[in-house]
Amino acid sequence: MDSLYLVCVVVGCTALVLISAVIPWAVFTRYVLNSAASWPEPLAVLLTIVLTFIGAAAGYRLNLHMKRFLLRRPVAGQVAHPARSRRQLLMALIAIFMIVWAADWSK
């Protein structure tokens, strides 16, 4: 899993660098050359999607959730273990819901 995590980080960073190159190119072709290229905007949207999902997977691997630090101090010791179990169960339920919904939507 560590190697898969590393691949996610590399793909996410590459997508971020490419977005940073594609958007200025789109602005340059539109306003300097007065001939807008047709490919930068769809590519930037696709790279943003890749960055979001792959980055979220890498963040989940490191437990870097936005709400992670909110209840860390109040929920300590014996209460923290059931909270972690409930969090993992909730994430699994959300993943199952998304898979079922996507399969139903694709029909």
Side-chain angles (χ1 to χ4, degrees), residues 50-69:
V50 168
L51 174 64
T52 301
F53 285 106
I54 300 296
Y60 182 76
R61 168 80 163 95
L62 292 179
N63 287 325
L64 294 176
H65 306 245
M66 283 192 267
K67 301 282 184 177
R68 179 173 182 241
F69 301 107

Side-chain angles (χ1 to χ4, degrees), residues 75-84:
V75 182
Q78 297 174 355
V79 181
H81 181 67
R84 280 191 293 264

Side-chain angles (χ1 to χ4, degrees), residues 5-89:
Y5 162 73
L6 184 60
V7 168
C8 288
V9 170
V10 169
V11 168
C13 290
T14 303
L16 183 61
V17 168
L18 288 175
I19 290 169
S20 300
V22 166
I23 296 300
W25 178 256
V27 171
F28 177 76
T29 58
R30 176 168 297 187
Y31 294 109
V32 175
L33 301 179
N34 289 329
S35 176
S38 62
W39 58 269
E41 184 179 349
L43 182 61
V45 170
L46 179 66
L47 290 170
T48 302
I49 292 169
V50 168
L51 174 64
T52 301
F53 285 106
I54 300 296
Y60 182 76
R61 168 80 163 95
L62 292 179
N63 287 325
L64 294 176
H65 306 245
M66 283 192 267
K67 301 282 184 177
R68 179 173 182 241
F69 301 107
L70 180 64
L71 296 175
R72 189 172 193 186
R73 288 190 184 134
V75 182
Q78 297 174 355
V79 181
H81 181 67
R84 280 191 293 264
S85 299
R86 284 193 302 266
R87 182 178 65 208
Q88 294 296 329
L89 178 63

